[in-house]
Amino acid sequence: MVTTDTTRVTNGSNGTAADPGYAERKNRGRLQEIAAGKWFPPVVDHQLEREEPVLTVKNFCLWYGKAQALFDVSMKVPKSKVTALIGPSGCGKSTLLRSVNRLNDLVDSVRISGEMNLYEDSIYAKGVDVIELRKRMGMVAQKPNPFPMSIYENVIYPLRIDGVRDRRILDEVCETSLRGAALWDEAKDRLHQSALGLSGGQQQRLCVARAIASEPEMLLMDEPCSALDPIATGKIEDLIDQLRGEYTILIVTHNMQQAARVSDYTAFMYLGQLVEYGATASLFKKPQLKETEDYISGRFG
Amino acid sequence: MVWLAGGMLALCSVMIIALILLVVVRGMATFWPGAIASYHTVDGQIVTGEVTRSSTYEPRPELIDTLPPEAQERARQLLAANDGLAERVLVRTGNYELDNSHFAWVSNYTIERMEKPEWFVVMERLTWGRFYGVPTAFYVDGELVADTPADVWREFERHHGDIRKRWQQRRTLESKAIGRINHQQESARLELRGAEIAAQQARLNHGVRSEQYLQAQAVFERQQQRFNQVEAEFERRYADIREEIVALNQENERYQIRLMTVNGQEKSMGMAEVVRAYPANQLSLLGRIGVYLDRWQEFLLDDPREANSEGGVFPAIFGTVVMTLIMVVFVVPFGVLAALYLREYAKAGPLVSVIRIAVNNLAGVPSIVYGVFGLGFFCYLVGGSIDQLFFSEKLPNPTFGTGGILWASLTLALLTLPVVIVATEEALAAVPGSMREGSYASGASKWQTIQRIVLPRAMPGIMTGMILAMARGAGEVAPLMLVGAVKLAPELPIDSIAPFVHLERSFMHLGFHIYDLGFQSQNSEAAIPMVFTTTLLLILIITLLNVGAIWLRNRLRRKFVVSAV
């Protein structure tokens, strides 16, 4: 069931006759307007309001030095669902994802405004323990980034830094995580060999295993398949499918087919603004904005 | 351009290979026992000894005029046939105490005939250098036992081993046993002196009639009494040892060998004086190899003698290795931590840039400047203060307030610090950002990330810095002359006397040893081959240290081998 938030749509593109530049703007279309620096409220599917949000983003803006990368982004990421962020390169989807676990803190020049909440807990409030916060989320990076240690040590890394010493717990977590990441059968005989000897696809699944080892409330995936071949990509997609329902997943992807295949909800971003956000099935079949349709059908971007 | 670049590389390689070949060939040849040649010259002299090298020169005509008339004609013909050039050989004649020279030049136009005498024996002695002569008599307790060369030689071989063993025993007694007594005596004396100082202090601070002074004085007097007892005990033990030594000496003095030089002079000598002897022209190839290896063994394992130009270099090897290792122990943690702060914690800015430039400039400071700094700062300032605080009873004799292996190591650590910092910084910068992010995303703190991800990953690069620092430090000589390397160190920096590691002691160093041999030696002709051998040894030791470190690095690197993604 898809209902449309008509008021918002009209709000964004029609304007009033009294607006002097109205006719000209209508001709240029929404994307040109965004490029010219105008802000539009996103078109959001009603269905999302029925979901319980894990992550709530409110009026989030981000600057790299003087350049603004995110403009007033507001969205809710639903629990136990896979949410995909799509959009052309440089639209800020990765930046948004990295803002969730505050990895952007590592870049000196970053400033932000607005809010983000993980459940009820503010992410950007003063005095937040960033380390504790990051422990509640797992992250899979664009390129596989296994650590220079054994497979076993890689998986239990989050527990190691928490000071867990109990061999039984560690062994158990290692096995369940590797099984969870569909890597157990391939890796169980070489747990104590270097993780760097695994293939790229295996390394990426290892990173997934590491990300789920501490049972996070949310999984962040930043284009997890962009460095992988089609077969490895297929395996990761299958894995995401298995994790659905158990974990809340926010995934950034370049690949529209992938978003259509794996996600429940999709958010389309453009030049730092959230443009349209809705259930994947309807967004891909019948997007409410012509611009979204143009993008997913490959007419630009 | 390719030819120019390639040519330069070829030139570099040729120079390096030539240098190494020179060092290896001449260094290896030093200990080979050559044959003994006897040159009978036209003016009736006989020059006998080992030929060490030859050269071509242009003799002045007046030189020919000094020859006997019948030889002049032949000499002129010979010179004319060779465009006025003559060959000459340098013969090591030894017998310094008899003819006041170790070497003699013999020109080819003066040689009447050359022969290889059968019974010339080379004797390497503790003093006066080598002796070349024919054994003529062997005495035991003053009685003639043998008088033909073969018999004398047989007697010599029969007794020499035992005599050397007794001599070794004597030397051990002198250095170890007496050394220990001296050491205990010294510490007893220092204890007494400490009590005396305490008493003086008490009198100065509290007055002659004060309780403190009386107490301290009582302690001092008790110490004095105990010291006298201990002293008497030491005297007794010392006398015992002296007696033992005298007995050994007397036993050795029973044997005498008599040799005759080529000029008919005779010389008797005690057998203990002779380190090694061999009839050079009777040795088989195997025998020569034996002498060669024996000399190498002495070189590597023994103490030097004859102002360092003979004997071994063991203290120098030991000093070099210990100093290099202590240096590494200081420079690596220091440099790595500094680089860690610069790269991981400091915010990039003008200050960091200035510091980085300063560190790089440190690498360009002449090493002697470090030596001067080390002497002024470490030896005099730091060492002087340590002496004031902890070794006041020894003053005015310095303990740490003078050059020593600790200060030398610290000075070299300072010298090699830039190498380690630069290499470590590069290694840290090469750790991929994705790995750090992965660690942060897993909830690791900054220090956990550095400790568990960054440092292990950067370790091979850090090791490279360490290797470079070691190569630089072990070969450095100039600063060491100021801060603790000496010509002859009586004791090693690590030995069996508590507290076993004596960081305040001065030490011998191979690099300094080379300088000393080459430029400070009395008998420079004999020292030159030793310079090559010692250089070869120094290069070998540095190579060995480096190979060890490279092996360690490769083991680490294999752990972090990056697969193709």
Side-chain angles (χ1 to χ4, degrees):
Chain A
M1 239 341 250
V2 181
T3 51
T4 318
D5 186 340
T6 43
T7 50
R8 286 207 167 180
V9 174
T10 48
N11 235 354
S13 58
N14 284 350
T16 57
D19 189 342
Y22 163 66
E24 197 194 340
R25 276 211 308 280
K26 188 174 181 183
N27 289 342
R28 279 200 293 177
R30 189 185 271 233
L31 297 180
Q32 277 87 356
E33 297 256 7
I34 289 175
K38 187 159 178 8
W39 184 81
F40 292 92
V43 180
V44 181
D45 194 333
H46 265 318
Q47 196 177 343
L48 273 157
E49 278 161 25
R50 275 181 248 142
E51 299 275 4
E52 182 197 347
V54 173
L55 179 76
T56 317
V57 183
K58 250 185 257 166
N59 304 106
F60 194 80
C61 302
L62 183 142
W63 291 264
Y64 288 114
K66 286 194 177 123
Q68 189 166 6
L70 292 177
F71 295 83
D72 243 332
V73 175
S74 299
M75 66 185 288
K76 289 175 177 171
V77 177
K79 185 172 178 165
S80 306
K81 292 279 156 52
V82 179
T83 305
L85 292 173
I86 61 168
S89 298
C91 71
K93 48 195 193 308
S94 282
T95 301
L96 182 64
L97 188 89
R98 291 161 54 89
S99 301
V100 175
N101 65 353
R102 290 187 63 169
L103 267 191
N104 282 329
D105 287 14
L106 302 179
V107 184
D108 285 336
S109 59
V110 163
R111 283 182 303 124
I112 60 115
S113 74
E115 285 182 42
M116 272 195 197
N117 288 306
L118 185 63
Y119 292 107
E120 299 305 312
D121 307 322
S122 173
I123 291 175
Y124 278 95
K126 262 198 180 140
V128 168
D129 185 345
V130 183
I131 290 170
E132 280 309 309
L133 182 89
R134 286 187 189 137
K135 284 178 182 163
R136 295 171 62 185
M137 301 180 222
M139 189 180 202
V140 180
Q142 198 164 0
K143 248 181 86 182
N145 57 353
F147 300 141
M149 40 179 93
S150 69
I151 296 175
Y152 181 84
E153 288 293 331
N154 255 284
V155 176
I156 59 163
Y157 184 77
L159 283 79
R160 273 263 188 258
I161 57 177
D162 269 350
V164 179
R165 286 256 173 93
D166 189 337
R167 192 83 196 175
R168 233 184 38 243
I169 297 179
L170 293 177
D171 286 348
E172 197 185 303
V173 167
C174 179
E175 182 172 348
T176 44
S177 304
L178 282 174
R179 280 191 195 284
L183 192 60
W184 176 251
D185 293 330
E186 288 154 77
K188 66 179 176 215
D189 297 326
R190 46 196 288 199
L191 285 179
H192 296 284
Q193 291 174 22
S194 169
L196 301 170
L198 295 172
S199 74
Q202 288 171 326
Q203 287 187 0
Q204 194 62 305
R205 276 180 282 150
L206 179 68
C207 293
V208 174
R210 189 173 69 202
I212 61 178
S214 54
E215 302 191 339
E217 292 157 40
M218 197 173 172
L219 262 185
L220 306 171
M221 296 184 165
D222 189 359
E223 298 185 35
C225 304
S226 65
L228 303 182
D229 63 73
I231 293 169
T233 302
K235 282 189 178 162
I236 297 281
E237 286 179 10
D238 291 345
L239 175 59
I240 294 172
D241 218 36
Q242 282 170 32
L243 297 173
R244 185 200 313 276
E246 206 175 329
Y247 291 96
T248 305
I249 299 178
L250 182 61
I251 176 170
V252 166
T253 175
H254 238 53
N255 179 331
M256 253 89 63
Q257 285 77 26
Q258 186 173 63
R261 281 194 299 265
V262 301
S263 69
D264 302 301
Y265 292 95
T266 300
F268 170 52
M269 292 181 70
Y270 184 72
L271 292 184
Q273 296 189 19
L274 181 61
V275 178
E276 186 170 349
Y277 183 21
T280 302
S282 58
L283 189 116
F284 275 90
K285 242 183 254 150
K286 204 159 76 53
Q288 293 172 30
L289 291 177
K290 186 173 172 302
E291 289 79 8
T292 311
E293 191 184 348
D294 286 350
Y295 178 70
I296 57 185
S297 56
R299 243 165 277 168
F300 85 95
Chain B
M1 201 56 223
V2 176
W3 284 102
L4 190 65
M8 286 301 147
L9 179 68
L11 198 66
C12 285
S13 321
V14 166
M15 286 196 296
I16 292 170
I17 291 170
L19 181 68
I20 290 180
L21 263 181
L22 176 76
V23 169
V24 169
V25 169
R26 300 216 34 191
M28 298 293 280
T30 304
F31 294 137
W32 185 254
I36 289 181
S38 247
Y39 292 99
H40 297 253
T41 61
V42 286
D43 46 8
Q45 281 184 337
I46 310 172
V47 179
T48 305
E50 288 170 81
V51 175
T52 51
R53 63 190 168 97
S54 62
S55 70
T56 307
Y57 80 119
E58 199 176 347
R60 279 174 291 124
E62 306 93 85
L63 225 57
I64 310 291
D65 297 339
T66 60
L67 296 176
E70 66 276 13
Q72 286 184 12
E73 187 54 31
R74 201 173 64 93
R76 290 213 175 84
Q77 276 173 8
L78 203 75
L79 287 177
N82 287 305
D83 302 329
L85 296 178
E87 287 280 328
R88 59 178 178 179
V89 288
L90 185 64
V91 182
R92 184 170 191 167
T93 54
N95 306 3
Y96 187 75
E97 73 270 38
L98 298 179
D99 46 20
N100 280 323
S101 70
H102 288 286
F103 290 88
W105 283 105
V106 181
S107 300
N108 62 348
Y109 57 84
T110 64
I111 298 172
E112 206 170 58
R113 64 195 163 87
M114 192 268 275
E115 56 192 33
K116 301 213 161 170
E118 191 192 356
W119 266 115
F120 255 79
V121 171
V122 181
M123 296 233 162
E124 291 172 37
R125 298 174 297 172
L126 287 176
T127 49
W128 297 111
R130 294 188 187 174
F131 193 92
Y132 300 88
V134 182
T136 52
F138 195 89
Y139 301 94
V140 179
D141 295 327
E143 281 175 43
L144 187 69
V145 197
D147 55 2
T148 64
D151 289 343
V152 172
W153 183 245
R154 205 177 307 119
E155 287 295 322
F156 175 87
E157 282 192 317
R158 196 164 73 196
H159 295 293
H160 187 239
D162 292 338
I163 289 170
R164 285 297 289 175
K165 230 173 262 164
R166 277 195 287 273
W167 183 83
Q168 279 291 353
Q169 218 174 329
R170 193 197 93 188
R171 204 172 66 148
T172 313
L173 280 176
E174 278 175 346
S175 61
K176 290 268 165 58
I178 294 186
R180 190 163 296 129
I181 290 178
N182 285 343
H183 209 81
Q184 287 165 348
Q185 210 170 359
E186 174 74 1
S187 51
R189 198 184 65 76
L190 289 177
E191 222 171 291
L192 180 69
R193 173 86 180 120
E196 192 183 345
I197 290 175
Q200 277 171 5
Q201 284 287 332
R203 198 182 60 192
L204 281 176
N205 294 338
H206 305 284
V208 189
R209 287 174 214 296
S210 67
E211 184 70 14
Q212 286 94 334
Y213 171 61
L214 291 176
Q215 249 171 31
Q217 189 64 27
V219 169
F220 171 59
E221 272 156 20
R222 263 205 309 283
Q223 283 280 359
Q224 179 81 55
Q225 275 174 13
R226 198 182 316 149
F227 179 74
N228 290 341
Q229 285 170 12
V230 169
E231 188 82 328
E233 163 71 18
F234 284 149
E235 282 303 324
R236 211 163 40 246
R237 275 165 57 192
Y238 191 75
D240 286 351
I241 292 169
R242 282 247 55 103
E243 215 168 284
E244 230 175 305
I245 289 174
V246 167
L248 286 169
N249 277 351
Q250 274 173 352
E251 178 64 25
N252 274 356
E253 273 159 20
R254 289 174 54 212
Y255 305 93
Q256 291 270 323
I257 188 170
R258 198 167 180 79
L259 292 109
M260 191 173 69
T261 69
V262 66
N263 300 320
Q265 287 169 291
E266 289 207 79
K267 161 100 183 165
S268 339
M269 57 183 85
M271 298 265 294
E273 274 284 287
V274 181
V275 178
R276 184 184 299 106
Y278 56 93
N281 290 346
Q282 291 186 19
L283 279 184
S284 61
L285 180 66
L286 226 62
R288 277 177 208 281
I289 292 174
V291 171
Y292 181 72
L293 292 180
D294 190 47
R295 280 178 174 168
W296 265 107
Q297 189 195 337
E298 186 195 8
F299 181 67
L300 294 177
L301 299 179
D302 239 335
D303 288 344
R305 56 191 156 82
E306 293 252 39
N308 289 358
S309 62
E310 299 271 342
V313 292
F314 179 73
I317 299 174
F318 195 79
T320 307
V321 172
V322 169
M323 187 212 65
T324 307
L325 294 182
I326 296 178
M327 177 198 82
V328 168
V329 165
F330 281 113
V331 75
V332 169
F334 194 34
V336 168
L337 287 177
L340 210 56
Y341 188 84
L342 270 182
R343 179 62 62 180
E344 300 287 326
Y345 288 99
K347 281 224 167 12
L351 187 65
V352 170
S353 305
V354 167
I355 291 176
R356 207 163 271 150
I357 291 170
V359 166
N360 282 324
N361 277 343
L362 273 184
V365 174
S367 57
I368 191 75
V369 174
Y370 283 96
V372 174
F373 173 80
L375 182 70
F377 180 73
F378 290 128
C379 300
Y380 292 160
L381 199 72
V382 181
S385 313
I386 292 176
D387 279 0
Q388 290 286 342
L389 286 173
F390 301 108
F391 300 98
S392 55
E393 67 273 12
K394 249 192 197 171
L395 286 172
N397 287 340
T399 309
F400 276 100
T402 179
I405 196 162
L406 176 67
W407 302 141
S409 302
L410 280 175
T411 306
L412 285 195
L414 215 59
L415 180 93
T416 50
L417 189 63
V419 180
V420 175
I421 291 185
V422 169
T424 307
E425 267 212 85
E426 268 163 27
L428 292 176
V431 176
S434 66
M435 253 180 212
R436 291 166 206 259
E437 282 186 0
S439 172
Y440 287 127
S442 305
S445 66
K446 184 153 195 160
W447 173 238
Q448 283 170 326
T449 303
I450 289 174
Q451 180 199 5
R452 288 166 185 270
I453 308 295
V454 177
L455 276 184
R457 178 63 206 257
M459 200 49 86
I462 295 173
M463 298 287 287
T464 303
M466 187 183 100
I467 292 164
L468 290 174
M470 254 164 43
R472 172 100 204 267
E476 196 64 66
V477 179
L480 296 180
M481 294 160 123
L482 298 180
V483 293
V486 291
K487 183 182 169 76
L488 191 67
E491 290 162 308
L492 296 176
I494 297 176
D495 63 17
S496 59
I497 296 172
F500 308 118
V501 181
H502 307 272
L503 293 177
E504 79 282 2
R505 284 187 184 164
S506 50
F507 63 104
M508 288 178 72
H509 184 273
L510 280 173
F512 184 68
H513 195 83
I514 291 169
Y515 166 75
D516 182 59
L517 273 176
F519 300 99
Q520 313 278 302
S521 183
Q522 296 283 320
N523 185 2
S524 63
E525 273 296 347
I528 289 171
M530 293 290 277
V531 169
F532 282 103
T533 314
T534 315
T535 307
L536 178 67
L537 186 66
L538 179 59
I539 291 175
L540 270 178
I541 284 177
I542 295 176
T543 311
L544 265 177
L545 285 172
N546 283 349
V547 165
I550 289 170
W551 173 80
L552 205 66
R553 181 181 67 185
N554 287 350
R555 264 184 60 127
L556 286 173
R557 196 172 271 166
R558 219 174 305 137
K559 254 171 85 181
F560 306 134
V561 81
V562 181
S563 71
V565 174

